[in-house]
Amino acid sequence: MIGLTHYLVLSAILFSLGIVGVIRRKNLLMLFFATEIMLNAANVAFAAISSYYHDLSGQMFAFFIVAIAASEVAVGLGLLILLYKKYGTLDLDNFTMLKG
Amino acid sequence: MESLVYIALFSPLVGSLFAALYGMSPKRLVTGVVTSLLLFVSFVASVMLLQHVVNVGPVRVELMDWIVAGDMRIPFGFAVDQVTAVMMTVVTLVSTVVHVYSNGYMEHDKGFNRFFSYLSAFVFSMLVLVMSDNFLGLFIGWEGVGVCSWLLIGFWYHKEDVGRDVNPSISPSWAANEAFIMNRIADLGMLVGIFLIYWNIGSLQYEEVFRAVPNLDHGLLVLIGIMLFIGAMGKSAQFPLHTWLADAMEGPTPVSALIHAATMVTAGVYLVIRANPLYSQIPEVSYFIAVLGTFVAIFAASMALVNRDLKRIIAYSTLSQLGYMFAAAGLGAYWVALFHLAAHAFFKALLFLGAGNVMHAMDDELDIFKMGGLKKQMRWTFLYMGLASLALAGIWPFAGFFSKDTILEAAFNEHSYGIWFVLWLTAGLTAFYSFRQVFLTFLSDERYKQYGFHPHEVQKYVLWAMAPLAVLAVVFGWWKESFMEFVTQLLPAYEMSEHTHHMVWILIVVTMAIALGGIAVAYVLYAKRLKRSEKIEQSLPYRVLSNQYYIPILYEKVFSKPYAELSDIAWKEIDLQVVDATVDGIAHVVEESGDGARKMQTGNLSDYLKWMAAGAILLAVLAVFAALKH
Amino acid sequence: MENILSVLIFFPLLAALLGIVVSKETIRVYGITVAAIEFLLSLWLWFAFDTANGGFQFIEYIPLVSDFGINYYLGVDGISLFIVVMATLMTLVGIISLGEVKDLKNLIITLLMLEVTMIGVFVSLDAIVFYLFWEFSLVPMLYIIGAWGGEKRLYAAVKFFLYTFAGSLIMLVGMLYVAYVYQSVAGVWSFALTDWYALVLPISVQKWLFWAFFLGFAIKVPMFPFHTWLPYAHGQAPTVGSVILAAVLLKMGTYGFVRFSLPMFPDAAVAYIVPVGVISIIMIIYTAMVAYAQEDMKQVIAYSSISHMGVIVLGTFAMNAEGIAGSVFLMLSHGIVSGALFLLVGVIYDRRHTKLMSEFGGLASIMPKYAVIFGIMLMASVGLPLTIGFVGEYLSLAGFFKVAPVMTLLGGFSIILGAVYMLSLYKKSFFGPVTNEANKKLFDLDKRELTALLPLVAIVVWLGVYPKPVLGPIDTSAKALVSFMHEKAQTPEAKAVIHVSKSTKEAR
């Protein structure tokens, strides 16, 4: 049967996909996608565990995460558009103004 | 009585401070007159104190506490006993004469006022030295005379340094520094001696120290005796700390008369005499002192044999006579040493002052080879220097005979025949070089004419000032018996054994013989005219002697230059390159590591995210391990 | 007034803040007046001080952070009293001596702020307050060197700051540990020195703490091999900066030894007499040699400072009242004499804008008053009896002789080597013919310079001849300290070495 473990493995795979994306992707938009994947991986884990333990707080928390992810994306995309307008590129390697 | 002590002690200080007010002004005769007058007052007070000590007894005063710390309580205290009274009289008498003399000698010098200030300050320090009733008070005077002699030797400080071949003393300021530093080396020994005394006896007062001495451990006494003697070696220029004395001739001649004949250099002898209860307990150290003194006597005499410099000859003779004094003290004949100290003060000061007259007449020329036949122009100076030289050579009935002969007797009495023999030989050498100098200066041919000198005698009042010294150089010896009775109230009486009493006449005859022999040889060689010999002057013994056994050059090569070079290395190699470099190195490491760590800040978000991910994974792994452990 | 100590600390602070509104023309008079008032206040303190009492007087106590035992706790005893007086005197002399300086107003305000911190260090009896003032003193000095200094001033100032700061941090760790031990023993936190004195620490703990505190003090003194910041600091600092640095700031280190290391760690102090003595002897001899090799007059005096501090440390570790009293007196004498010497170097620097001795020569013929005062200070520096320099040096060496005779002999070389470099300096600069044209028209000391220097000359002679009014209270407190150490010592070896004077009266 499909048990908790399967969901957690799925979550882990999704999370690692997200991390790989964060590490490897140079395009800022792609970075956002990868971050989204990570967040959703966490959601899967929350929902699965909540269902397994019959405790609704996990699924509530998943809703929180969805809401916050949405707002974060909204702000992020807004900034991203401004960035693109100013510099004409979204390649991370070009943004080294904070080099110390 | 107390007020007499203070008058004797402080009059020179008052004079010095008075003259110091005019220190930077042009010559004011009043400074010379006032200081001489105040010195005379001090002399009168000293004589009155001497009278009092003869008739009644010692006088003690305590002015106030000086240093009080822990258990150490050191007052400004003064005690005038038999020894001190003698020293005070000698010092103040010679000082008064020198002050009056200097009025004439320094007549045209720009630093006239300054000179008298320094001179009186010197006398004050010397009086502190001989009048103090504790070792640290003595040390005040000790260092005080050191400073004043630095000021006075370097009086003509504007003269520049020259090479040793031009002037073996290089320059007055160089000689002054040499004197001060050499004395300081000895002073360290003396300080250690003082520390030993304090921590083992608990006090530095003479009375308490000498009372405790018989109960102390012998080894400790030996150490204290050696340390104090090291101090004496510096002041009295005993080998190997002797080179400063000859170089001190760079100072004005009255300075040489006062400091280096009569007073400062005798401070070392005074110390040994004063500490006689200590030295009587450690005969091995005393014997070493006597042997060293004997060595110095002949060592110095040898250098005087060939010297051409008028003042240096007299300086070496001082060194030689100091050796005699230490020999006497080392042999236990303390009163004899004191007697010779006093007699020597008179005739040696007279010699120096006479030399000053000659220099004045000869435009400060010092080379006796350029003089000759001066007795025609300078009858009185010739008479004075002749008298003084007779006294120095130990010819009866002059003062030196009584003092020197007694020293030789004492040596014989102690069965120290080696010492007797060397001192006897030195007596001959002394007579020879003294009269070599007298003959070459005043008799023989008038070589000065070819150098264009126009010598003349000094002012009458200067000659009158020198008169007391001349009189004493003649008659002082006749008071030997009363002197002995007086000082042996404090000092140990030194009795000659029966054996020596029989031998006394033989000894006297033998000593007189070699002294007269020395004079005779000098007469034959120099009285008619100066015969110079290339062969002799180029010979090794001659060159060794005239270059002071090359010891000053040795000191320069072994001590001065290496010290300067080591200091340079200490600074440039060690301090700058090792110590400081280590500090800067640490700073450098910090800076470099910061610079290295900086590379992490690329400004690139992707790189930062990589680091974050790596860090997070690491933490997760660690958490798993920690959990597994439990 | 019982609050004299707080007044002494904060009056210059007020004056400094007020000084911001004072105009440039009157700032010099203002500065001198303020410093003079402060000096008179310190004299008042001396006058009101009870010289027979070896303990702390004029105590002030205001709780600050009572949960951790940090309080505003002040007090003076015979040891700190005269250092305070000297600090105010040297500040006054320093301000008087200021000539044509740019931004004079800022300099005077900074000097007054510095005075606040200096006095604070010497009167505070709470470790944290002590540390605060100790560290605060670095800032005005940093500013003085950095803003008014020579060419390499930034390097010198930063080196000075970071080096001393690093040592102090280690000392802070030590202090915190002592507080921690106190808390574990007594149950409450306290940083009050008097409480710490009552604490008997186990020997192993004492030894570590001794070295922690030692590092902080040693860098400040400065002891070999932590001394290399000093030549740069002196070389680049303006004259007044050097004067205050040498006269007062260096004394904080040696004062720390007497106030902290000796009473709190008596066993460790006795156990480490030999290493400390060896370091001091290296300081004395090595820096004397380096001083001799210098070509710059100011550097000679800077290195000679280090050499004399070596004798002070020897006296401190003599474990008897003679030595400790001697070392405190030597602190005072060194402060005055070094301060005067730096002022004197400043005199010739003001005229010729160089300090190289090769540029001088024959100055005595041209500037006789200058030569005389320099000569007097020279003699005081080499420890001539009847000058202030002799009393302290003699007592320090005499005291140390009891515990280590051979090391004292080596340390006594300071009298020989000191004479060597000082006389060499004097001969190169003052004696001989006048070789350099530029020297021929120099003016002798003017009124301002004489006003600054003559009081110092007077003190040098007065305290050399009659040191009792100063030496007395110092001696009383030193005796009390030694008998306290003797009681507190645990090892028999320490009890044997610490020598209580027979004439000790009843202590605190």
Side-chain angles (χ1 to χ4, degrees), chain B residues 174-197:
Chain B
W174 190 93
N177 282 358
E178 180 193 28
F180 194 81
I181 292 171
M182 255 189 181
N183 269 280
R184 272 273 155 136
I185 298 175
D187 290 346
L188 178 59
M190 184 149 167
L191 266 184
V192 171
I194 291 181
F195 294 156
L196 280 168
I197 293 177

Coordinates of all heavy atoms in Angstrom, one line a residue, chain B residues 174-197:
Chain B
W174 N 85.2 64.3 25.6 CA 85.4 62.8 25.6 C 86.0 62.3 26.9 O 85.6 61.3 27.5 CB 86.3 62.5 24.4 CG 86.4 61.0 24.1 CD1 85.7 60.3 23.2 CD2 87.3 60.1 24.7 NE1 86.0 59.0 23.2 CE2 87.0 58.8 24.1 CE3 88.3 60.2 25.7 CZ2 87.7 57.7 24.5 CZ3 89.0 59.0 26.0 CH2 88.7 57.8 25.5
A175 N 87.0 63.1 27.4 CA 87.7 62.7 28.6 C 86.7 62.7 29.8 O 86.7 61.9 30.7 CB 88.9 63.6 28.9
A176 N 85.8 63.8 29.8 CA 84.9 63.9 30.8 C 83.9 62.7 30.9 O 83.6 62.1 31.9 CB 84.1 65.2 30.7
N177 N 83.4 62.3 29.7 CA 82.5 61.2 29.6 C 83.2 59.9 30.1 O 82.7 59.1 30.8 CB 82.0 61.0 28.2 CG 80.9 62.0 27.9 OD1 80.5 62.7 28.7 ND2 80.4 61.9 26.6
E178 N 84.5 59.8 29.6 CA 85.2 58.6 30.0 C 85.3 58.5 31.5 O 85.1 57.4 32.1 CB 86.6 58.6 29.4 CG 87.5 57.4 29.8 CD 88.9 57.6 29.4 OE1 89.4 58.7 29.4 OE2 89.6 56.5 29.2
A179 N 85.7 59.6 32.2 CA 85.8 59.6 33.6 C 84.5 59.2 34.3 O 84.5 58.4 35.2 CB 86.3 61.0 34.1
F180 N 83.4 59.8 33.8 CA 82.1 59.6 34.5 C 81.7 58.1 34.3 O 81.3 57.5 35.3 CB 81.1 60.5 33.8 CG 79.8 60.6 34.6 CD1 79.7 61.4 35.7 CD2 78.7 59.8 34.2 CE1 78.5 61.5 36.4 CE2 77.5 59.9 35.0 CZ 77.4 60.7 36.0
I181 N 81.9 57.6 33.1 CA 81.4 56.2 32.9 C 82.3 55.2 33.6 O 81.8 54.3 34.3 CB 81.4 55.9 31.4 CG1 80.3 56.8 30.7 CG2 81.2 54.5 31.1 CD1 80.3 56.7 29.3
M182 N 83.6 55.5 33.6 CA 84.5 54.5 34.4 C 84.2 54.6 35.8 O 84.2 53.5 36.5 CB 86.0 55.0 34.2 CG 86.7 54.1 33.2 SD 88.4 54.4 33.2 CE 88.8 53.2 32.0
N183 N 83.9 55.8 36.4 CA 83.6 55.8 37.8 C 82.2 55.1 38.0 O 82.1 54.5 39.1 CB 83.4 57.3 38.2 CG 84.7 57.8 38.7 OD1 85.1 57.6 39.8 ND2 85.4 58.5 37.9
R184 N 81.3 55.2 37.1 CA 80.0 54.5 37.3 C 80.2 53.0 37.3 O 79.5 52.4 38.1 CB 79.1 54.9 36.1 CG 78.3 56.1 36.3 CD 77.1 55.8 37.0 NE 76.6 56.9 37.8 CZ 75.3 57.2 37.8 NH1 74.5 56.6 37.0 NH2 74.8 58.2 38.5
I185 N 81.1 52.5 36.5 CA 81.3 51.1 36.6 C 81.7 50.6 38.0 O 81.2 49.7 38.5 CB 82.4 50.6 35.6 CG1 82.0 51.0 34.1 CG2 82.7 49.2 35.7 CD1 83.1 50.7 33.1
A186 N 82.6 51.4 38.5 CA 83.1 51.1 39.9 C 81.9 51.4 40.9 O 81.8 50.6 41.9 CB 84.2 52.0 40.3
D187 N 81.1 52.4 40.6 CA 80.0 52.7 41.6 C 79.0 51.6 41.7 O 78.4 51.4 42.8 CB 79.3 54.0 41.1 CG 80.1 55.2 41.3 OD1 81.1 55.1 41.9 OD2 79.7 56.2 40.7
L188 N 78.9 50.8 40.6 CA 77.9 49.7 40.7 C 78.5 48.7 41.8 O 77.7 48.2 42.6 CB 77.8 49.0 39.3 CG 76.9 47.7 39.3 CD1 75.5 48.1 39.8 CD2 76.9 47.1 38.0
G189 N 79.8 48.4 41.8 CA 80.3 47.6 42.8 C 80.1 48.1 44.2 O 79.7 47.4 45.1
M190 N 80.3 49.4 44.3 CA 80.1 50.0 45.6 C 78.6 49.9 46.1 O 78.3 49.6 47.2 CB 80.4 51.5 45.5 CG 80.3 52.1 46.9 SD 81.5 53.4 47.0 CE 81.0 54.2 48.4
L191 N 77.7 50.1 45.1 CA 76.3 49.9 45.5 C 76.0 48.5 46.0 O 75.3 48.3 47.0 CB 75.4 50.2 44.3 CG 74.9 51.7 44.2 CD1 74.0 51.8 43.0 CD2 74.1 52.1 45.4
V192 N 76.5 47.5 45.3 CA 76.3 46.2 45.7 C 76.8 46.0 47.1 O 76.2 45.3 47.9 CB 76.9 45.2 44.7 CG1 76.9 43.8 45.2 CG2 76.2 45.2 43.4
G193 N 78.0 46.5 47.4 CA 78.6 46.5 48.7 C 77.6 47.1 49.7 O 77.4 46.5 50.8
I194 N 77.0 48.2 49.4 CA 76.1 48.9 50.3 C 74.9 48.0 50.5 O 74.4 47.9 51.6 CB 75.7 50.3 49.7 CG1 76.9 51.2 49.8 CG2 74.5 50.9 50.5 CD1 76.6 52.6 49.3
F195 N 74.4 47.4 49.4 CA 73.2 46.5 49.6 C 73.5 45.4 50.6 O 72.7 45.0 51.4 CB 72.8 45.9 48.3 CG 72.2 46.9 47.3 CD1 72.3 46.6 45.9 CD2 71.7 48.1 47.7 CE1 71.8 47.6 45.0 CE2 71.2 49.0 46.8 CZ 71.3 48.7 45.4
L196 N 74.7 44.8 50.4 CA 75.1 43.7 51.2 C 75.1 44.1 52.7 O 74.7 43.4 53.6 CB 76.5 43.1 50.8 CG 76.5 42.2 49.6 CD1 77.9 42.0 49.1 CD2 75.9 40.9 49.9
I197 N 75.7 45.3 52.9 CA 75.8 45.8 54.3 C 74.4 46.0 54.8 O 74.1 45.5 56.0 CB 76.6 47.1 54.3 CG1 78.0 46.9 53.9 CG2 76.5 47.7 55.7 CD1 78.8 48.2 53.9

